[in-house]
Amino acid sequence: MEMKHKISLASEELVIKNCPQFISFVAGDGEIELPCNLERMELVDCTSLENLPSKMHALKHLVIENCPKIMALNIPQGDSSSNNSISQLESLKIHHYDSSMSFSFAKGRLAPLKALDIFDCKGVESLEGIAVESLETMIINMCQNMGSLPQCLHTLSHLTRLDIYNCPALEIEDFPPLPVTLSSLDLRNCSKIKSIANCNIANCNNLIELKIWQCPLLEIEDFPPLPITLQSLELWDCPMIKSLPNKWHHLTSLQKLRILYCQNIKCFPKGGLPPKLRDLEIKGLVALKPPVREWGLPLLTSLESLCVEFGMRGEGEKEWFPSDDKDAWSLFPSSLTSLQIYDLRNTERLSSGLCNHLSSLRLFLIRDCPKLRYLPEDGFPPSLQNLRIFGCEILKERCAKLTGDYWPLIQEIPEVHIW
């Protein structure tokens, strides 16, 4: 379906979308007069537009999406006292832009800039020109040719959020020091980041969220200390991470912990898990040695959601999680409202006791347990609202609606999904 073009002009906002014939803000002998109090401008899918207007002195928010002919991002520079500047700009969003782009215009000219969002811009090769101390948020995504970060990151004294996604050319031997103001750091699918050893993350005393996903060359032999303020930690698909933060039981603010597919992590740090966890997910840690009974899960009295993938343990699976022992469910805290179990490849039976020990459970998921044929004999707790059984062929037949011999056991559960 062909989209219609849209031009919307309010006293403080100009939106131009899907106007492929729109070439310039110049009409006749002069430039189109824009409202002197224009604060926001969005240019989207204007594929023939070659230049931005020169008079944007009140502009605070600028969005440019898929306007490929704007040559070299010709943003008027001007000085802060000139009507031909964008010295009041607070947020800049540039998406789908392949031409050369330099941020040298930023230094000294965008003093109020607080948010920078760059997405799918092949022309961005470096962020070295960014030296805007007022920046609070920087999001860089799918900049395939970006090779470096500014070494002056630590001088961005108001930066609270830094997201870097899908930048395959970003080659960093050692991540530069971070500003101590940072509250969120998110690194995803950056295949050439090699170290965060000297990024000063321990001194980021406002940090509440850390995500590191799919960084295959990021090598961590000794995980750097993390600030006690941290509330969420996610590590996913980083095969060169070989350790977890020491003394993480001191991370008393940590509520969410996800460690997924980090194949070389062999053990948890001494001292136990962070004590205030509410959400814990452990999957794909094929080298992890301590069995579940040594994790200290019953001590996590605030834990509400637990997801565990037991992996390909073979004959050692029963030792790792004795699912058919009468005390198996006592390995989990009674506070759980959601329990997800994956990959018990050799388990045939889930023991009784679930009903009594996990009396607050609302969601129970069992997945990829091909030999599992017996559910707990005493059934499920009355609190259970959602039962999901996936990839368990024997159970699938036994739980079939009306015809399965387990149907009377589960028919009162409000939501039952069996695939």
Side-chain angles (χ1 to χ4, degrees):
M1 182 177 68
E2 184 177 350
M3 293 181 63
K4 295 182 178 179
H5 70 272
K6 174 184 178 182
I7 301 178
S8 173
L9 176 60
S11 60
E12 297 179 354
E13 180 176 293
L14 172 63
V15 178
I16 305 176
K17 291 186 177 181
N18 196 38
C19 294
Q21 305 304 316
F22 181 50
I23 297 175
S24 174
F25 282 91
V26 175
D29 295 330
E31 189 170 290
I32 297 172
E33 192 73 24
L34 298 176
C36 61
N37 61 343
L38 186 68
E39 293 188 356
R40 181 179 183 88
M41 182 163 66
E42 294 187 21
L43 305 171
V44 180
D45 295 324
C46 299
T47 52
S48 299
L49 182 63
E50 296 179 355
N51 292 288
L52 297 174
S54 62
K55 297 178 181 180
M56 302 186 291
H57 58 278
L59 200 67
K60 293 183 178 181
H61 309 283
L62 175 60
V63 177
I64 303 173
E65 294 189 20
N66 194 29
C67 301
K69 289 191 177 181
I70 297 180
M71 297 304 295
L73 200 64
N74 184 22
I75 294 180
Q77 297 185 4
D79 58 62
S80 58
S81 63
S82 169
N83 285 345
N84 294 334
S85 72
I86 52 171
S87 61
Q88 302 305 310
L89 200 65
E90 294 181 3
S91 71
L92 175 60
K93 180 187 290 188
I94 306 172
H95 288 191
H96 311 299
Y97 187 83
D98 292 346
S99 298
S100 175
M101 187 187 306
S102 169
F103 293 96
S104 58
F105 68 85
K107 189 172 184 179
R109 303 187 184 278
L110 296 180
L113 190 68
K114 296 179 180 179
L116 178 65
D117 182 345
I118 309 294
F119 174 71
D120 189 21
C121 294
K122 294 183 178 65
V124 174
E125 297 181 357
S126 173
L127 298 182
E128 286 295 345
I130 294 178
V132 186
E133 292 186 8
S134 58
L135 265 181
E136 297 175 1
T137 299
M138 189 189 307
I139 302 173
I140 312 295
N141 190 359
M142 286 185 65
C143 294
Q144 294 92 329
N145 297 312
M146 188 180 76
S148 65
L149 293 177
Q151 291 298 314
C152 65
L153 264 182
H154 64 286
T155 67
L156 303 181
S157 57
H158 294 85
L159 193 68
T160 60
R161 177 182 175 185
L162 176 60
D163 295 355
I164 304 175
Y165 308 149
N166 306 305
C167 296
L170 182 59
E171 188 166 354
I172 300 179
E173 291 292 332
D174 200 355
F175 207 90
L178 297 165
V180 296
T181 52
L182 205 65
S183 62
S184 176
L185 175 61
D186 194 340
L187 306 176
R188 304 191 197 185
N189 196 21
C190 295
S191 57
K192 294 183 180 180
I193 294 179
K194 297 180 180 179
S195 174
I196 59 169
N198 297 306
C199 70
N200 197 39
I201 198 168
N203 292 325
C204 295
N205 291 323
N206 296 293
L207 193 70
I208 61 174
E209 182 178 39
L210 174 61
K211 293 182 181 179
I212 306 177
W213 291 12
Q214 295 178 304
C215 295
L217 294 185
L218 178 61
E219 186 170 359
I220 301 180
E221 293 279 355
D222 187 11
F223 209 102
L226 297 176
I228 198 171
T229 53
L230 197 68
Q231 296 179 16
S232 176
L233 172 62
E234 298 186 22
L235 306 175
W236 179 39
D237 195 12
C238 297
M240 299 297 286
I241 293 181
K242 299 176 182 179
S243 73
L244 294 168
N246 283 323
K247 299 182 180 179
W248 69 352
H249 59 284
H250 292 317
L251 298 177
T252 53
S253 298
L254 196 68
Q255 298 182 24
K256 181 177 182 180
L257 177 61
R258 301 178 71 204
I259 313 294
L260 312 176
Y261 305 105
C262 297
Q263 299 93 321
N264 282 304
I265 292 177
K266 296 180 179 179
C267 62
F268 293 143
K270 294 179 180 180
L273 292 161
K276 300 296 184 182
L277 285 177
R278 293 182 177 272
D279 185 348
L280 174 61
E281 184 171 358
I282 304 294
K283 297 175 74 174
L285 304 190
V286 294
L288 190 65
K289 294 180 179 179
V292 173
R293 66 171 67 255
E294 296 180 13
W295 294 7
L297 293 176
L299 301 176
L300 304 180
T301 56
S302 299
L303 195 66
E304 298 174 356
S305 177
L306 175 63
C307 177
V308 182
E309 180 184 73
F310 291 94
M312 301 175 67
R313 295 279 161 182
E315 295 301 320
E317 180 180 282
K318 179 177 172 58
E319 180 181 348
W320 215 66
F321 175 61
S323 57
D324 56 353
D325 284 7
K326 62 179 181 179
D327 296 327
W329 304 113
S330 67
L331 299 178
F332 302 124
S334 58
S335 56
L336 284 182
T337 59
S338 173
L339 176 60
Q340 301 180 47
I341 294 176
Y342 290 72
D343 276 344
L344 285 171
R345 294 285 174 177
N346 296 298
T347 294
E348 297 184 7
R349 180 186 300 273
L350 297 180
S351 70
S352 299
L354 175 67
C355 189
N356 292 327
H357 187 71
L358 300 181
S359 57
S360 299
L361 201 64
R362 296 179 62 84
L363 182 147
F364 186 40
L365 179 147
I366 313 165
R367 181 162 188 163
D368 298 330
C369 305
K371 296 183 180 180
L372 187 62
R373 61 175 63 244
Y374 299 109
L375 292 176
E377 290 182 0
D378 55 349
F380 298 99
S383 59
L384 195 67
Q385 299 292 306
N386 195 326
L387 174 65
R388 303 180 184 184
I389 301 174
F390 304 147
C392 307
E393 289 302 316
I394 299 174
L395 274 186
K396 181 179 179 180
E397 182 177 342
R398 298 194 69 184
C399 293
K401 188 174 182 179
L402 300 179
T403 61
D405 58 319
Y406 271 143
W407 179 247
L409 184 71
I410 64 175
Q411 63 179 341
E412 299 299 327
I413 301 172
E415 288 188 56
V416 176
H417 303 276
I418 302 174
W419 294 348

